[in-house]
Amino acid sequence: GPFFLMAGPEGRARRIENRLQRTQNDMLQDLARIRSIIYAGYYGHWEGVSEDDNRKNPVLQQIGYTLPAHRTRGPGETPVTYFPGRDLKHSDILAPDQIPEAADVIVIGSGAGGAVAAATLAGHGHEVLIVEAGPHYPSGRITHEERRMTARLFIDGGIQTSRDNDIVVFQGRCVGGSTVINNGICLRVKQDKLTHPHAEDVFASWAALGAPVDEARFIQSYEKVEERLGIEPAIEQSGRHNGSHLLRGWADHAASSGDQKDHQSPATWFSKNYGPRADGAACAYCGYCNTGCPHGRKHGMAQSYLLDAREH
């Protein structure tokens, strides 16, 4: 309205920001979330199709950012190359006229839960049909163009939220589910040396709710999954020194803090479902984990349990 036009640039910016953050209008909320996705990426501008098309990308040049394919790697560093041969194939996806009239079990969704369930059931001799709403994007079809990948691999293009619009829920909508778009960090529930000693005991909480879970069997399940995915601690180089800076920063903070909980907080390297390094598939630490691994190095469901289900 007229009052908006009368305001200066800073006043207009404040009005827009306030409207996007506090409005109950779903359309404006979606605009705010789309803006957040673009801001969260490394860039808001992409030219052509490939990384080579973006060698002279003006936005990347302005911020001094170099795409993974153009970075210089030092001695001993993992090359940014494609690791072939571990993806589910398009021929493994059934065409409409190939879908059977009946199956022993139908599994809805091909993500972490569905794929593991399907592979386990198939391993016990059941005929299993997996139904997935999203498209199949093998590693070779994934690019570093985050806007396009977010639109195609995420439910609602990455703007799915809670009903009150307060929390953005990033969820995969593709073959392999959220294992395709997560950043590969693997943390257990109640994990020794990684869970704060004062943290709530999750197993006790579940039992109090009337849903007890056998902790020993739960841990065994974790171990089986970790073995299949080749879970290994992230190497220090993968953080390009960011991890080391963060760990030193936390150590300095804890040392100066008067809160005993800070002193007891675990701070160490996490594990990732990339590799294993012995196979030559170590993480190339390109930094684009959340829009899929274009280098074929991440062990998601389409590179592990869905293959197991197919073999059975």
Side-chain angles (χ1 to χ4, degrees):
F3 294 106
F4 179 79
L5 296 176
M6 291 168 60
E10 292 184 1
R12 295 184 190 184
R14 282 196 301 271
R15 286 286 300 276
I16 292 172
E17 184 175 14
N18 182 65
R19 185 63 183 259
L20 289 174
Q21 289 178 345
R22 300 186 182 184
T23 181
Q24 297 302 307
N25 183 301
D26 286 343
M27 184 186 75
L28 289 176
Q29 286 282 352
D30 285 350
L31 287 173
R33 288 190 285 271
I34 291 171
R35 183 191 67 172
S36 299
I37 291 169
I38 294 173
Y39 284 0
Y42 292 112
Y43 49 79
H45 179 66
W46 185 263
E47 297 183 337
V49 177
S50 68
E51 291 183 69
D52 282 344
D53 293 335
N54 287 270
R55 284 187 180 275
K56 297 182 180 180
N57 185 308
V59 173
L60 302 187
Q61 289 182 343
Q62 184 180 12
I63 64 175
Y65 182 76
T66 304
L67 285 165
H70 307 146
R71 297 174 192 166
T72 301
R73 292 293 173 108
E77 291 197 79
T78 304
V80 186
T81 55
Y82 180 68
F83 186 82
R86 68 195 313 179
D87 275 297
L88 197 71
K89 296 181 174 63
H90 277 312
S91 58
D92 296 319
I93 311 299
L94 298 179
D97 60 353
Q98 296 176 307
I99 298 174
E101 291 292 327
D104 295 337
V105 181
I106 296 176
V107 174
I108 308 299
S110 61
V116 174
T120 302
L121 289 163
H124 284 84
H126 297 288
E127 184 182 32
V128 181
L129 177 66
I130 304 172
V131 179
E132 170 56 57
H136 178 217
Y137 261 82
S139 303
R141 289 189 62 204
I142 292 173
T143 73
H144 287 317
E145 187 179 0
E146 290 176 300
R147 291 175 299 175
R148 185 182 299 275
M149 291 296 99
T150 300
R152 296 183 177 183
L153 299 177
F154 287 68
I155 286 181
D156 292 342
I159 60 172
Q160 177 184 223
T161 67
S162 55
R163 289 184 179 179
D164 60 2
N165 294 319
D166 192 41
I167 300 174
V168 178
V169 182
F170 292 120
Q171 187 176 357
R173 186 182 185 273
C174 53
V175 174
S178 294
T179 67
V180 175
I181 55 99
N182 73 8
N183 61 13
I185 297 173
C186 301
L187 301 175
R188 293 190 190 187
V189 170
K190 194 179 176 181
Q191 185 169 359
D192 184 40
K193 298 181 181 179
L194 282 178
T195 302
H196 197 286
H198 291 288
E200 177 184 358
D201 188 322
V202 177
F203 294 97
S205 299
W206 288 341
L209 291 170
V213 173
D214 187 306
E215 184 173 346
R217 291 184 62 193
F218 193 84
I219 292 173
Q220 287 177 357
S221 297
Y222 262 122
E223 290 173 346
K224 288 181 65 175
V225 172
E226 287 181 343
E227 181 180 4
R228 176 64 185 93
L229 296 180
I231 304 296
E232 295 179 341
I235 59 174
E236 190 168 330
Q237 283 178 318
S238 67
R240 304 293 292 176
H241 311 300
N242 290 339
S244 302
H245 293 321
L246 289 170
L247 289 174
R248 284 195 295 269
W250 175 256
D252 291 343
H253 165 75
S256 62
S257 172
D259 190 338
Q260 186 63 25
K261 290 182 179 179
D262 286 346
H263 293 272
Q264 295 175 304
S265 292
T268 184
W269 289 94
F270 45 76
S271 296
K272 298 182 73 174
N273 60 315
Y274 283 78
R277 289 190 287 273
D279 293 345
C283 176
Y285 38 91
C286 71
Y288 286 79
C289 312
N290 289 333
T291 47
C293 178
H295 308 302
R297 294 169 177 270
K298 180 163 67 171
H299 251 152
M301 292 300 103
Q303 294 80 30
S304 56
Y305 281 94
L306 292 178
L307 296 178
D308 296 344
R310 178 195 66 185
E311 294 305 314
H312 291 305

